[in-house]
Amino acid sequence: MRIIGGKYKGKIFNPPTNFKARPTTDFAKEGLFNVLQNNFHFENIDVLDLFSGTGSISYEFCSRNCKSLISVEKQKSNYIYINKKIQELGFAQATAIQSDVFKYLSRCRKQFDLIFADPPYDMPDINKIYELVFLNNLLTDTSFLVIEHSESNDFSNYKHFVMRKKYGKVCFSFFDPIK
């Protein structure tokens, strides 16, 4: 795996082979960050990365010099790996938290400019992410919630839905609190 943009573009990182995670493909990351670059100045945004897995998306935001980043991952081994990489790469703006995402969203009171969620594709209650983000008012007025999911999920009827982008088998649904 590699970082595809920003200060650390091209930097390769290799999680252990027994790692339990499905990292976002480089092709999908490039598409996602092209969309985001048209909507945000990364150095001005506070980011929340949910279901961080390998930390790949977190590293992309930090490499692009986001203002702050919180990476939430439940699996202890994944959390330890993410925390180690954050330290190695010198991402002072990043914090890794080991927590269940739903518990974290239920008690979080901070607002973010961008919330990215990459839950397991077979998660039955994937819509709960959307519900908790909007119920707890976790987005600023100029922000997005982005959920990565499989083709079988359809969020187009959700109140704040803006668009769906598909890159190979990877889909991203974008939500805007103002819409």
Side-chain angles (χ1 to χ4, degrees):
M1 285 183 269
R2 67 186 176 96
I3 298 175
I4 61 164
K7 180 179 178 182
Y8 289 93
K9 181 179 180 175
K11 176 82 172 160
I12 295 172
F13 59 99
N14 295 308
T17 54
N18 63 346
F19 220 61
K20 294 180 182 177
R22 174 201 29 79
T24 305
T25 65
D26 284 357
F27 175 63
K29 281 195 297 188
E30 286 181 32
L32 170 67
F33 278 89
N34 284 339
V35 171
L36 295 176
Q37 280 180 257
N38 289 323
N39 291 282
F40 294 102
H41 294 286
F42 291 112
E43 62 276 358
N44 298 329
I45 65 171
D46 296 309
V47 179
L48 177 61
D49 180 12
L50 303 171
F51 304 95
S52 298
T54 63
S56 176
I57 296 295
S58 291
Y59 312 144
E60 292 293 342
F61 281 112
C62 289
S63 182
R64 289 165 172 82
N65 204 31
C66 67
K67 185 167 70 174
S68 74
L69 177 127
I70 296 175
S71 177
V72 181
E73 173 55 45
K74 182 178 181 178
Q75 294 293 325
K76 185 173 185 169
S77 59
N78 296 30
Y79 156 77
I80 290 169
Y81 178 81
I82 293 166
N83 204 36
K84 179 181 171 189
K85 284 294 163 199
I86 285 171
Q87 300 305 313
E88 285 176 7
L89 294 168
F91 293 143
Q93 76 271 48
T95 303
I97 296 174
Q98 182 186 1
S99 177
D100 174 84
V101 165
F102 299 111
K103 288 179 183 176
Y104 180 85
L105 290 174
S106 294
R107 66 178 182 257
C108 182
R109 296 298 169 247
K110 176 179 172 40
Q111 286 191 316
F112 297 90
D113 300 300
L114 183 72
I115 299 175
F116 178 82
D118 182 7
Y121 281 5
D122 60 352
M123 178 182 284
D125 51 355
I126 192 170
N127 62 322
K128 192 173 178 184
I129 300 163
Y130 169 91
E131 292 168 6
L132 287 170
V133 165
F134 286 99
L135 176 70
N136 293 322
N137 193 32
L138 300 180
L139 294 169
T140 66
D141 290 344
T142 58
S143 59
F144 278 159
L145 165 64
V146 180
I147 300 177
E148 180 176 335
H149 56 87
S150 70
E151 297 174 86
S152 63
N153 296 100
D154 182 8
F155 293 98
S156 60
N157 291 326
Y158 284 58
K159 181 179 179 184
H160 301 286
F161 178 81
V162 177
M163 68 180 153
R164 175 178 163 158
K165 294 286 190 176
K166 184 176 179 234
Y167 304 97
K169 294 183 178 186
V170 177
C171 297
F172 298 106
S173 287
F174 294 77
F175 305 89
D176 182 340
I178 300 300
K179 303 269 184 207

